[in-house]
Structures are given as C-alpha cells and as structure tokens.
Amino acid sequence: MNNKHIGEIIYSEKQIKERVKEISQLINKDYKSEEPILIGIFKGSVYFLADLSRELKIQHNIDFLSIGRFKSTDGTKEKVKITKDLDLTIRNRDIIVVEDIIRTGLTHSYIVKYLAPKRPKSIKLCVFLDCKVQRLVELPIKYNGFEIDSKFVIGYGLDYEEKYRNLPYIAKFRQ
Ligand code: IMP
Ligand code: MG
C-alpha cells in the first residue's frame, strides 16, 4: 500500500477501542428497555457502527442510508440525494444515527429532515469525530467520540479519494 498520505496519528487503535466501549456503555444504559435502530451513513460510518454494535448488550437493529452529492443542472448549487434507502420501517422506533464525522453539520441536517417525516419515536446522533469550529448549523450531539480541529483526517472509515478507510487508527492527512 502506498502510505504517503498518512500523517501523524491523532487517535490510536487502543484509544478508539476504549472510546467505543465507553460510548456503548452509555447507550446500553440509556436504551436498556428499548430496541433502537442504529442507522449508519455509508460509507464512513461502517467501521464505527460495526465496532459499536458488537459492544452493545441491548437488542438493536442496524440499517444504512447512503447519500450522494450532485451539482444542480446549471452547475451552481450542490444537491444532496438519498442513493440507498433504509430497509427497515422506522415509524415509532428509537433511532440512533451513527456518523463518522460532523463538520458543518449540513449532511446531518439533511439526514434528519429525511428521517423525521417517517415519524420515528426519537432520533439521536452518535458521531465519532466532532469538529465544532466548522459548524454552520446547530445540532444536538448525544454521543461523541472525540473532538478534532479543522485538519482533514483519514482512517477508521474516513477516506481520501476512497482510500485509507481501513486504517485502524485516525491520522492527519498528508498532502
Ligand atoms: P459536514 O456535512 O460538513 O458535517 O461533513 C460531513 C461529511 O464530510 C462526513 O460524513 C465525511 O464523509 C466527509 N468528511 C468531512 N471531514 C472529513 C475528513 O476529515 N476526512 C474524510 N472525510 C471527511
Ligand atoms: Mg468521503
């Protein structure tokens, strides 16, 4: 593998494992008498969701949504649309949206706008990395892994041109 883009490691495999365990303990406690659906957003959240799911002791289901970004026909605006829909019915269910990283919050607010009219019982957000300084829309984060600054990062699901998702740690991207 050509590793030239892998910079300094910010969170090691061990730190990630420990943090995932801590988050799963919070979810076990909060949902001890519920059966939530974890909804992962392709593709970045796949690694985090799989680790989290295996640490949970409560009954739960998993499902995935994929969203794509397109230029509008006149090329001026970026449009977002669902490219892989849910398989499960979420009406009256407790939803935990699992995401890799939140920066502006625009992706997540699009997802909430899509899910809310389906009338779930609740929607909470669980995100592995939170970059607060870049936020453009206010969002309540219920569970978060780590906070990061504005630098682009790779690994643990996060890609650069579809590569480096499989790194077991999170590293700074090196140009
Ligand atoms: P937001 O809409 O600005 O909150 O951006 C969130 C989405 O952008 C994430 O779901 C990622 O797919 C992508 N993204 C944002 N920052 C990074 C990064 O540092 N590395 C890789 N992907 C990123
Ligand atoms: Mg990406």
Side-chain angles (χ1 to χ4, degrees), residues 5-170:
H5 294 301
I6 307 175
E8 185 197 336
I9 294 179
I10 317 175
Y11 294 110
S12 67
E13 186 171 4
K14 181 165 176 278
Q15 283 173 302
I16 292 174
K17 276 211 171 91
E18 282 167 7
R19 193 67 192 119
V20 170
K21 207 169 221 159
E22 286 166 2
I23 297 169
S24 65
Q25 283 162 358
L26 296 174
I27 296 177
N28 283 332
K29 209 161 86 200
D30 293 347
Y31 291 83
K32 61 173 179 291
S33 36
E34 331 289 335
E35 192 176 311
I37 307 178
L38 306 186
I39 298 183
I41 311 303
F42 274 149
K43 300 172 205 166
S45 73
V46 164
Y47 298 75
F48 177 37
L49 185 139
D51 286 346
L52 196 61
S53 172
R54 279 176 291 198
E55 287 291 341
L56 290 179
K57 305 285 182 264
I58 51 159
Q59 285 288 0
H60 63 282
N61 311 140
I62 65 165
D63 205 346
F64 293 94
L65 259 185
S66 189
I67 55 178
R69 295 182 175 83
F70 307 88
K71 285 260 179 278
S72 58
T73 38
D74 63 1
T76 55
K77 272 191 239 120
E78 202 186 54
K79 289 198 158 184
V80 186
K81 102 173 189 212
I82 303 289
T83 52
K84 187 249 165 248
D85 207 343
L86 297 172
D87 295 325
L88 303 177
T89 305
I90 65 168
R91 192 180 169 97
N92 287 325
R93 299 289 307 270
D94 293 297
I95 302 303
I96 304 174
V97 177
V98 179
E99 297 213 41
D100 49 0
I101 184 167
I102 305 261
R103 288 188 185 273
T104 60
L106 293 172
T107 310
H108 184 74
S109 39
Y110 176 84
I111 291 163
V112 170
K113 276 198 199 104
Y114 177 73
L115 297 176
K118 299 183 184 297
R119 313 272 296 276
K121 193 164 141 207
S122 66
I123 305 179
K124 301 287 180 208
L125 167 58
C126 174
V127 59
F128 196 67
L129 297 177
D130 178 16
C131 178
K132 276 206 176 73
V133 293
Q134 289 179 316
R135 195 78 91 251
L136 295 177
V137 285
E138 189 76 33
L139 336 150
I141 297 181
K142 178 79 179 176
Y143 308 102
N144 95 358
F146 297 109
E147 289 196 10
I148 57 161
D149 64 20
S150 53
K151 288 195 191 70
F152 196 80
V153 292
I154 50 175
Y156 201 56
L158 291 156
D159 73 307
Y160 165 68
E161 294 184 344
E162 296 297 330
K163 294 187 284 273
Y164 305 110
R165 293 193 197 274
N166 61 314
L167 299 177
Y169 48 78
I170 291 179

